[in-house]
Amino acid sequence: MAVEDFDLIVIGAGSGGLGTALRAAKYGVRVALLEPRQLGGTCVNVGCVPKKAMWYASQMAEAQDLAADYGFALTKGALDWPRFIVHRQGYIDRIHESYRLNLEKHGVTLIPAIGRLSAGRTVLVAGRELRAPHTVIATGGRPRRLETPGFEIGMDSDGFFDLRKLPAHTAIVGGGYIAVELAGVLRALGGEVDMYVRGRLMGGFDVEMADALGETMQAHGIRIHYHCQIVSAQRRGEQVVLDCDSGSQPGPFDALIWAVGRDPNSDGAGFDLAGIATDPAGHILTDEWQNTSVPGIYALGDVTNGKALTPVAVAAGRCLSDRLFGGKPQAKISYDLIPSVVFSHPPLATVGLSEEEAREQYGDDVHIFRQAFTPMQLSLSSRAFKTVVKLICVGDDERIVGMHILGPSADEMLQGFAVAIKMGARKADLDATVAIHPTSSEELVLLGARTR
């Protein structure tokens, strides 16, 4: 078998792998990119992109109710699901084509197969032997599967995107961001939704903000059942019945979605043979430079134990290529103050520390500023849900270490504030900024005295 030489081999063409490969290719190096499935990985195909499309559709559904409150004479209509999916898939197809053209433009060798790491800096793939001094593992993750009896009766979060009509009544098992997002979409589109949460909602997020989100979701008609672990699922005709560890038997439901976390795609690609260290969950362990335990082999994205966000994987991959091929030996991603948004109803946007994390780190030096208000858009209707903003500061100079926004347009508000916080903004900097009125974002520069 002849050996084909490259400067870089990237295993996985999700967001992180594509970002790594394209940045390296722009430096003129020879890159091989291995991907057996569609380009774009989870984000483009069964994650961020189709999820946000569904979120937009559900926003349109809610806007019909809001328009009626404002005085528009209209007949509310349901989403034409099959028609919408054509539009959604067309958008995804255009992304695929854009990726293909970009890879061709920059001379990246795309191989539609998965590779296996071998000795001597080589990767075996589809009857070929590739060799490079640098190999990046960016194989992403997948929905977690449980040994729960009847698990196969339901669908995972990937399967949600195979739906072709709205289930009348859906049970969602899980309380993380995926469960919350899917629940909001289904409810806004007119379905009945029950969530079964083993512990608390949105574990790892600021507790006060997560509780506020839960209250708003329930006000929107989503039934959240806390401290209920589903131990089995059973068919009853065309419907599903669940068994809870409390002894209750919820149901029947028309659909069941398991949203119980994700696992890394670190099996089946020869990683153990290469001696790469992983944690007990199978995540590949890396340092801050994306190095694994094997020199010349790197990992990034959801296959690692870092923050599972698309922009994080892209930034990590680009920095890695800058360091390896761009003459920037200090290039690495900063994992501090990474903004993110849960596309719930309403969205929850966050950057920096939760109150719990801040108090653990800074103790009594933490100062909280909080405000709840009804945004003007909703004040003109009968849907007076509260927006909540929360600022977490430390020290006498009140340096901002966390910001959290729950409410309409929170997703669009946070990015600019995140830049300021990354630059070291203090509460006084917000106070000194003239407000844009009337907006929801002005409340963040008009926060008064500390609430605690």
Side-chain angles (χ1 to χ4, degrees), residues 90-104:
Y91 179 62
I92 292 172
D93 290 342
R94 291 193 294 275
I95 295 175
H96 291 157
E97 183 62 18
S98 175
Y99 281 144
R100 280 191 289 269
L101 292 174
N102 216 10
L103 293 170
E104 291 175 9

Side-chain angles (χ1 to χ4, degrees), residues 206 337 350-355 357-358 361-362 392 401-404:
D206 185 277
L337 298 171
T350 178
V351 61
L353 302 178
S354 66
E355 181 178 348
E357 291 169 333
Q361 188 169 340
Y362 297 103
I392 301 169
V401 297
M403 178 181 284
H404 310 273

Side-chain angles (χ1 to χ4, degrees), residues 143-381:
R144 181 170 299 145
R145 298 190 62 81
L146 304 178
E147 298 299 323
T148 304
F151 185 89
E152 71 284 351
I153 292 174
M155 70 190 82
D156 58 28
S157 56
D158 286 1
F160 169 82
F161 298 107
D162 293 329
L163 287 174
R164 293 298 180 266
K165 64 178 181 179
L166 175 70
H169 194 178
T170 302
I172 299 179
V173 180
Y177 77 94
I178 295 175
V180 164
E181 291 177 338
L182 298 186
V185 165
L186 291 171
R187 178 59 186 153
L189 290 175
E192 296 292 319
V193 179
D194 284 73
M195 292 180 66
Y196 295 90
V197 183
R198 183 174 57 182
R200 72 175 184 86
L201 201 69
M202 300 299 296
F205 282 69
D206 185 277
V207 171
E208 183 178 35
M209 299 300 289
D211 288 347
L213 172 60
E215 292 170 4
T216 304
M217 291 173 65
Q218 289 176 313
H220 276 90
I222 297 171
R223 293 177 287 270
I224 304 176
H225 308 273
Y226 293 101
H227 308 296
C228 174
Q229 182 166 347
I230 300 302
V231 295
S232 69
Q234 306 165 36
R235 281 277 183 206
R236 182 178 291 175
E238 295 297 316
Q239 295 182 304
V240 180
V241 174
L242 306 177
D243 288 303
C244 178
D245 60 356
S246 67
S248 62
Q249 194 174 52
F253 302 102
D254 300 288
L256 166 62
I257 300 175
W258 302 95
V260 290
R262 295 180 65 82
D263 290 324
N265 287 326
S266 59
D267 51 356
F271 300 151
D272 291 339
L273 296 178
I276 298 172
T278 60
D279 68 12
H283 297 101
I284 296 176
L285 298 176
T286 65
D287 63 12
E288 58 186 342
W289 303 92
Q290 310 307 140
N291 295 308
T292 70
S293 57
V294 177
I297 298 180
Y298 317 88
L300 52 88
D302 292 1
V303 76
T304 71
N305 57 354
K307 203 159 189 176
L309 294 169
T310 292
V312 172
V314 172
R318 289 173 176 172
C319 285
L320 177 60
S321 289
D322 288 341
R323 178 164 65 88
L324 296 178
F325 307 109
K328 301 177 182 179
Q330 299 305 310
K332 64 177 180 178
I333 183 175
S334 170
Y335 288 94
D336 294 328
L337 298 171
I338 294 173
S340 64
V341 173
V342 181
F343 287 100
S344 46
H345 285 69
L348 172 61
T350 178
V351 61
L353 302 178
S354 66
E355 181 178 348
E356 294 72 34
E357 291 169 333
R359 293 198 182 280
E360 182 178 348
Q361 188 169 340
Y362 297 103
D364 293 336
D365 220 12
V366 173
H367 315 300
I368 304 298
F369 300 83
R370 182 187 182 278
Q371 179 67 282
F373 60 93
T374 303
M376 181 176 176
Q377 181 189 37
L378 298 183
S379 294
L380 294 168
S381 77

